[in-house]
Amino acid sequence: MSSAESTSIKKDQRAPIPIGVLAALLVGAFAAGIAARFLGAALPVALAAIIAAMVPKEHGWGVRAPIGIMAGLLALFVVRLLPEAEAAATSTPFEGGHLLSWTIGLPMAGAVVVLLLPRAAERFQQMTTLVVMLGTFALALPLLRVPMGRGYHFYEDVTWLKDFGIHYRVAIDGVSLWLILLTVLITPIAAYASFESIPTRMKEWCFALLLLESAMLGTFLALDLFLFYVFWELMLIPMYVMIGVWGGSNRIRSAIKFFLYTMFGSVLMLGAILYLAYAYAQVSGGTPSFDYFELQRLMIPRHVQLWLWAAFTLAFVIKVPMFPVHTWLPDAHTEAPTAGSVILAAVMLKMGTYGYMRFSLGLFPEASTYLAANLAGVAVLGGIVYGALCAWKQEDVKRLIAYSSVAHLGYVMLGLFALTQASLEGSVLQMINHGISTGMLFLLFGVIYDRRHTRHIDEFGGLAKPMPVYATLFVIATLASVGLPSTNGFVGEFMVITGTYASNGIQAAGAAFGVILGAVYMLMVVQKMFFGPVTKKENARLSDLSAREIVSLAPLAMIIFVIGLFPNIFLSQIKGAATRIEDDVNARLEESPPPRFYEGPLKLTPPRPEAVAVESAPSEER
């Protein structure tokens, strides 16, 4: 060892932390303690904004100010929504007005406005799109002020087609709350990140984004099955166009495959919806009804219920997707533009998991529990394990992330099939976690694809040297996807596995093995892409993240740690709805116990408590 190296080591050993830095930390901690005494809840907001504003000056205030604002809002979110703070609140939130309708309608109105703008005014089209999306985000924030509990809130019911029993009926509960907020968060981020990478037809692109956002929000909020189906089909059109017009070289084939798979399941579900509506008319002696609460009252013979459940569930598992109807997803992700992949992974795949939880479990509890154990086995072997093994063998980064979605959503479906309190709560939380971490991974890969125009893992290597900020954010998203403690992915997977263990230990062990496989293939891609020598000369000259890219990725990176460190903020809103779903299923099983369940004629059970509350007191907790 040289004398210079020896001297350096001795200096490091003598003063690992400089005295001045240590003194500054102590003074800062003392000052923060005094400030906390007087500022209270405002302190974390101020500190978060100051820390975020300490972004390196070379990025300018165009980056530092948005990050400061986002950090401050997230700190306010944590302070105001901790269960302790919520319990201390005394005022009753107002649930009147038409908040949900405005949330659905604003993006749709924005889409019409974009169509009327001059084609050449691309910057104005982009600004209009972002303003509308941020306005929708602001409209959705008051939903956080309402403790969700067991019931539904912000209920709206307007007769649409009276003779057919079709209503415009929307409401929100603890399951759909976070999916709505995920949608209004991810959509503007994806839109903002996409504007530099979409070379043509900006007007049509903005229109498709706004129409898609409106359709996704409507799907999560609809409690009339006909209205749900309208929104369900409506969101298919803009995504089909996004893949087919702005996708890669095989975009037409992938778009058609995506459309055919989804449409096949949707048509079967439509047939089942129509059967339910007219079966209700038969037993009630009146007009058909598509009301979710009224259709829950139908007691359907076992042999008929199995067919209806199969029609609904097939539509949902195609959208998830689950094995063996998952093959459209890797192709769609590979060919879709970056923003399309982000929205598809973060939001649209949740339509399948949400649909199963709301409609398959809600309308057909006997059939759902009868086949749950078999489907849980498919979720473990065909989803978690198979998806992880397929991802492990991929050389295309986008296909790897796509197969990782198959694996991660296998955990969501496993939790729904296990049907325990912990697994249901974990499933809903994992829907949000997957949307954040996988959406961030697709955004990050879009950054490097715009620079290199290749998806092959071997074309990268040593990227941490020319792109250190990019590498840091990619590692954060990877660790969240793997489920590292203190990141968002850990709590959801842990709750699903422990909840599943209460019903089936072997399936829980298989799910735990899938966590190991996930770590293997995700850390493998990080090692190949970022560490070691720079293997391609093109990579040595790559620029790090731009201002637009940093602003797009920063909120997702922050939310990863917010969910990981403060999961009770989310679980406290989910718990009541998860309890209601479990209680509803158990009540039906007690009324018509297995193995034969109900074998009599069609009949109606008494109205459910939450349905009565909706009709009698729409502004109270339901």
Side-chain angles (χ1 to χ4, degrees):
M1 181 183 296
S2 67
S3 60
E5 291 173 335
S6 177
T7 303
S8 175
I9 291 174
K10 289 179 181 178
K11 287 182 179 179
D12 290 341
Q13 290 173 345
R14 198 165 47 242
I17 302 178
I19 299 300
V21 174
L22 182 61
L25 289 173
L26 292 175
V27 171
F30 181 71
I34 295 176
R37 175 68 178 82
F38 299 100
L39 297 179
L43 178 64
V45 179
L47 288 179
I50 292 170
I51 292 171
M54 293 172 63
V55 173
K57 292 183 179 180
E58 58 264 23
H59 292 295
W61 283 104
V63 173
R64 301 169 74 194
I67 291 180
I69 292 171
M70 289 184 286
L73 289 174
L74 279 173
L76 181 64
F77 167 81
V78 171
V79 169
R80 295 291 297 274
L81 291 182
L82 283 171
E84 296 81 5
E86 182 181 304
T90 57
S91 61
T92 301
F94 174 69
E95 294 187 29
H98 303 280
L99 182 60
L100 299 185
S101 294
W102 279 104
T103 305
I104 297 170
L106 183 58
M108 190 170 291
V112 175
V113 170
V114 166
L115 283 182
L116 300 177
L117 296 177
R119 181 172 296 276
E122 292 189 354
R123 300 295 294 179
F124 192 58
Q125 294 162 13
Q126 295 172 1
M127 289 177 58
T128 302
T129 301
L130 281 179
V131 168
V132 170
M133 288 182 174
L134 292 176
T136 306
F137 177 78
L139 277 175
L141 290 180
L143 299 174
L144 292 170
R145 297 182 62 248
V146 179
M148 286 291 124
R150 291 175 56 96
Y152 295 84
H153 303 265
F154 297 96
Y155 182 77
E156 298 179 39
D157 185 358
V158 178
T159 302
W160 184 8
L161 298 173
K162 183 177 180 180
D163 292 341
F164 297 98
I166 298 173
H167 288 228
Y168 172 83
R169 184 179 287 109
V170 293
I172 194 169
D173 70 345
V175 173
S176 52
L177 168 67
W178 296 115
L179 294 170
I180 291 296
L181 293 173
L182 177 68
T183 304
V184 298
L185 171 71
I186 288 291
T187 312
I189 290 174
Y192 179 69
S194 71
F195 287 151
E196 285 188 353
S197 60
I198 298 299
T200 60
R201 302 190 179 187
M202 182 58 65
K203 183 176 182 176
E204 289 81 358
W205 174 255
C206 294
F207 172 79
L209 286 171
L210 288 167
L211 183 63
L212 179 60
E213 181 181 24
S214 179
M216 292 188 298
L217 292 170
T219 304
F220 286 132
L221 293 172
L223 286 178
D224 181 280
L225 267 68
F226 187 86
L227 182 67
F228 168 78
Y229 185 80
V230 169
F231 283 123
W232 175 274
E233 289 298 281
L234 182 60
M235 69 181 177
L236 175 63
I237 299 170
M239 181 55 67
Y240 170 76
V241 173
M242 290 166 72
I243 297 173
V245 175
W246 294 279
S249 57
N250 292 322
R251 59 185 180 273
I252 302 300
R253 175 180 176 273
S254 298
I256 292 175
K257 190 174 182 179
F258 161 74
F259 186 88
L260 290 178
Y261 266 76
T262 306
M263 194 67 185
F264 175 74
S266 299
V267 170
L268 294 178
M269 181 171 66
L270 176 61
I273 290 173
L274 294 175
Y275 178 91
L276 287 173
Y278 286 95
Y280 179 88
Q282 179 182 344
V283 296
S284 65
T287 59
S289 175
F290 294 85
D291 183 353
Y292 173 73
F293 299 113
E294 287 298 301
L295 295 181
Q296 278 188 305
R297 298 173 56 197
L298 272 177
M299 292 292 290
I300 305 171
R302 176 179 179 274
H303 66 284
V304 178
Q305 186 180 149
L306 286 173
W307 284 106
L308 297 174
W309 172 89
F312 272 83
T313 302
L314 181 59
F316 298 141
V317 300
I318 288 174
K319 186 72 79 176
V320 171
M322 282 183 65
F323 178 90
V325 289
H326 67 287
T327 57
W328 65 268
L329 181 65
D331 292 338
H333 271 313
T334 301
E335 300 303 326
T338 297
S341 292
V342 171
I343 295 174
L344 181 61
V347 183
M348 286 190 68
L349 301 187
K350 310 309 177 298
M351 303 296 175
T353 55
Y354 166 81
Y356 183 86
M357 189 174 194
R358 175 75 77 212
F359 297 104
S360 291
L361 279 176
L363 297 174
F364 317 109
E366 296 93 345
S368 298
T369 54
Y370 177 69
L371 296 168
N374 295 331
L375 289 175
V378 175
V380 173
L381 296 177
I384 297 171
V385 176
Y386 172 78
L389 292 175
C390 287
W392 191 356
K393 299 301 293 182
Q394 297 304 310
E395 297 297 331
D396 183 311
V397 181
K398 287 193 80 172
R399 293 185 74 87
L400 183 148
I401 301 173
Y403 276 110
S404 77
S405 292
V406 176
H408 286 299
L409 290 170
Y411 286 98
V412 177
M413 296 306 295
L414 176 62
L416 298 181
F417 297 141
L419 202 61
T420 63
Q421 178 72 28
S423 70
L424 289 174
E425 291 183 34
S427 290
V428 178
L429 185 60
Q430 195 61 13
M431 294 183 207
I432 311 306
N433 295 338
H434 176 265
I436 298 297
S437 56
T438 305
M440 186 174 176
L441 284 172
F442 275 117
L443 270 180
L444 284 162
F445 181 73
V447 168
I448 198 66
Y449 184 79
D450 288 342
R451 288 160 170 74
R452 287 295 319 278
H453 299 288
T454 179
R455 299 189 300 264
H456 205 279
I457 295 175
D458 291 340
E459 289 294 317
F460 308 106
L463 293 180
K465 294 179 176 64
M467 307 177 71
V469 177
Y470 175 79
T472 301
L473 291 175
F474 201 102
V475 169
I476 290 173
T478 298
L479 295 178
S481 181
V482 168
L484 184 75
S486 79
T487 64
N488 60 339
F490 172 74
V491 179
E493 288 184 356
F494 179 78
M495 293 184 70
V496 168
I497 293 172
T498 53
T500 302
Y501 183 79
S503 60
N504 192 309
I506 295 176
Q507 291 172 351
F513 178 65
V515 175
I516 300 172
L517 291 178
V520 170
Y521 67 77
M522 290 304 300
L523 296 178
M524 175 200 72
V525 74
V526 167
Q527 172 65 33
K528 288 184 176 181
M529 289 182 63
F530 295 99
F531 300 108
V534 178
T535 55
K536 302 285 183 180
K537 62 181 181 179
E538 297 89 345
N539 296 332
R541 300 190 298 269
L542 293 176
S543 59
D544 211 343
L545 295 177
S546 67
R548 177 186 295 270
E549 292 160 350
I550 291 175
V551 171
S552 301
L553 291 163
L556 301 181
M558 296 178 195
I559 292 171
I560 282 174
F561 294 105
V562 169
I563 299 177
L565 296 174
F566 305 101
N568 277 337
I569 291 175
F570 301 83
L571 294 173
S572 63
Q573 295 279 50
I574 297 170
K575 183 177 180 179
T579 302
R580 183 196 71 234
I581 292 169
E582 185 182 18
D583 290 346
D584 285 350
V585 172
N586 290 336
R588 282 284 290 265
L589 295 184
E590 290 176 2
E591 186 174 347
S592 51
R596 298 302 299 174
F597 299 113
Y598 180 68
E599 293 286 3
L602 286 169
K603 69 175 185 178
L604 288 176
T605 61
R608 292 172 178 265
E610 62 267 18
V612 172
V614 160
E615 295 174 358
S616 60
S619 63
E620 301 175 2
E621 182 181 344
R622 295 177 270 282

